[in-house]
Every structure is written in structure tokens, then in C-alpha cells.
Amino acid sequence: MQSEQFERIHDFWTRRQRLSQGELGEFYQRVIAALTPCRPREAASLGDSLADLRHQFFIEKVLHGDSDAAPHHVGALYLYFKRFIIDQLRKQRDDEDADAQEGCELQAPDAYAAPLRDYQLTPASVREAADVFISTLPRDLILLLRHCGCGGMPVRELAEQIASAHYHGGKLGLVHRQKGESASAGRQIVEPAHRATLLGSWVLTLLKLRVGDALTARDMQAAQIVLDILCVAALSLHLDPVSASPNPDERPPA
């Protein structure tokens, strides 16, 4: 979805309590259409169809949500939807645990905290590290991370706005699914060919792993969690829209 098209969703979101009936219908249709390409893997564990989940997300989190933080681009909307689905999974598991334990007061372990514990990390410490890491990146790399690394936008769509976008995307470590591959970018980022990139190096350093280490399934899970938290931090930043004029000073050396 192009940025100018998403501006309509952003405008409706900020005025959602004051929309006319016609605007409300258009708002609903635009949000549902924007979310159609988003298919979080976590949704497979829920019994509802993606169409039902999109409708439920709009009613509960968009129309009647407590937060006034309107997403600034479609990547942020995808992240909101994914977090909604994860919350639904957590509620489902909590209900199942309550039924099974009949009054046990133990809370279900946090989906992020338990896997990180083996690496002497917490979600809060990873978020702090993510904020520091993002602060070291130039603006173009932050935009690539937000739009392409977190939002799933192809790097080529920013090629006209960011000079040498493919070069910088490779330097950052963006990897995308191609030809129906099921592996996510987070799981690919720690493959040998990508470990020396900025993202790959940061993830491995944070997990106290070395470039040459053979990574286990547990390491892969932790890497994905770290990247998910990084995306939350990146998408929380408020940046001006991508400039229409590329910066020639950001071109790679010949």
C-alpha cells in the first residue's frame, strides 16, 4: 500500500470517534483491505479464519481500542494486527490453563520472557538494547528497517526515495521470503551468509553467540524474539515520511 493511500487510514484513525457513517464504512474497508496480505504464522493456532480475525481486530483494537497511537504506515498496522493475534493466543492458553488447573493461581509464562531467560535477557533489557542499536543507525537504515525489515515492504519500493536502497538493505541485513519459502526474515538473518550484517551481528552479540556457532532451534527462536522486539522499538519512533529526493552522499563507494 502506497504511503499516500495509507494517509487516509491514518486520518480516519485519528478521528475514529467522530466519523460519519459513510466514513466509518470506508475506514473499515480500507483497514481490512490493507490487512489482507498480512498472514501472521501465529494465526494458524487459532480456530478463527483470518477474515474473522481481521474483523475482530477492527472492532476491538481499531474502533474501540484505548490507544490513540495511529499507525503511520502499513508496516505498523501489520505489527498491531500480529500483536492482537498473539494476545488472542495468550488468552486462549490462559483459559485452557484455568480449565485444566481449576483455580491454580500460577500465571502462564510470558511468551517472550521464558525463551530469553536462557540468554540472561529479559524483554525489557532487549528493548533497551534495541533502542540503543536504533540510535546508532542513520535515518535511511532506520527507514529500511521500519518499512522493509518490519513492515515487509520490498526494498525496491524505497529505491527512488533512498539512494542505493538495495546496497544499504544488504548492509543492514534485510532478508525476505522468496518463492513461497516458509522461513521468516528473522530466522534467515542468522544464517551464515548474513551473520556479518548489522542486524545479524547485533542479534548474535546480544544472544552471546559467535558468528561461527552452529545455531540450535532454541537460538533461532530467541533470535526471532529479539527481532520482534527490535521492530516494536523501530515502529514506535515517529519519523517524517520518506523524502522524495535521494541523498547522493549516502551512495556506496565505487
Side-chain angles (χ1 to χ4, degrees):
M1 174 173 285
Q2 298 177 354
S3 59
E4 60 268 21
Q5 293 175 318
F6 194 80
E7 288 175 2
R8 188 71 169 162
I9 290 179
H10 184 272
D11 174 59
F12 283 147
W13 195 301
T14 59
R15 299 187 295 111
R16 64 189 186 278
Q17 303 304 330
R18 305 184 303 276
L19 296 177
S20 67
Q21 197 65 29
E23 288 176 324
L24 182 59
E26 181 184 348
F27 184 30
Y28 176 83
Q29 294 296 334
R30 284 181 177 272
V31 170
I32 297 302
L35 287 174
T36 298
C38 182
R39 298 178 175 274
R41 63 184 184 277
E42 294 86 355
S45 300
L46 292 170
D48 298 326
S49 68
L50 274 171
D52 289 338
L53 288 170
R54 287 191 287 265
H55 175 79
Q56 185 180 355
F57 168 76
F58 180 85
I59 298 300
E60 294 186 14
K61 295 299 182 181
V62 179
L63 196 58
H64 300 301
D66 296 331
S67 174
D68 291 327
H72 289 275
H73 55 82
V74 72
L77 182 64
Y78 284 0
L79 184 63
Y80 286 5
F81 184 49
K82 179 177 179 179
R83 289 168 66 182
F84 167 75
I85 289 176
I86 291 174
D87 285 343
Q88 298 307 302
L89 277 173
R90 186 175 294 117
K91 291 176 183 177
Q92 183 183 77
R93 290 166 185 163
D94 287 347
D95 290 343
E96 291 172 354
D97 288 342
D99 291 340
Q101 296 170 14
E102 296 182 353
C104 176
E105 296 181 359
L106 293 176
Q107 296 295 317
D110 186 274
Y112 280 175
L116 291 175
R117 196 173 298 125
D118 290 336
Y119 302 86
Q120 291 77 54
L121 295 170
T122 65
S125 68
V126 174
R127 175 59 189 266
E128 290 177 5
D131 288 336
V132 172
F133 174 69
I134 292 170
S135 72
T136 68
L137 298 177
R139 186 176 186 275
D140 281 356
L141 291 193
I142 294 176
L143 289 170
L144 283 166
L145 174 61
R146 283 162 54 101
H147 290 270
C148 304
C150 301
M153 177 186 292
V155 173
R156 65 177 179 273
E157 291 194 14
L158 292 182
E160 293 185 1
Q161 289 79 27
I162 297 178
S164 304
H166 284 89
Y167 168 82
H168 290 304
K171 179 181 178 182
L172 182 61
L174 299 179
V175 183
H176 299 284
R177 290 181 293 183
Q178 296 182 6
K179 298 180 180 179
E181 294 177 1
S182 59
S184 69
R187 297 185 187 281
Q188 294 180 56
I189 201 71
V190 288
E191 290 182 355
H194 303 285
R195 294 183 189 178
T197 63
L198 291 175
L199 281 174
S201 177
W202 177 72
V203 169
L204 292 175
T205 299
L206 196 61
L207 296 177
K208 301 178 179 64
L209 299 171
R210 297 172 299 180
V211 171
D213 287 342
L215 303 183
T216 65
R218 185 188 68 175
D219 297 331
M220 294 290 198
Q221 180 187 20
Q224 183 64 62
I225 289 172
V226 166
L227 287 168
D228 284 348
I229 295 174
L230 176 66
C231 280
V232 172
L235 293 170
S236 296
L237 291 175
H238 176 68
L239 295 177
D240 294 331
V242 180
S243 171
S245 301
N247 181 0
D249 295 332
E250 288 297 317
R251 297 185 183 276

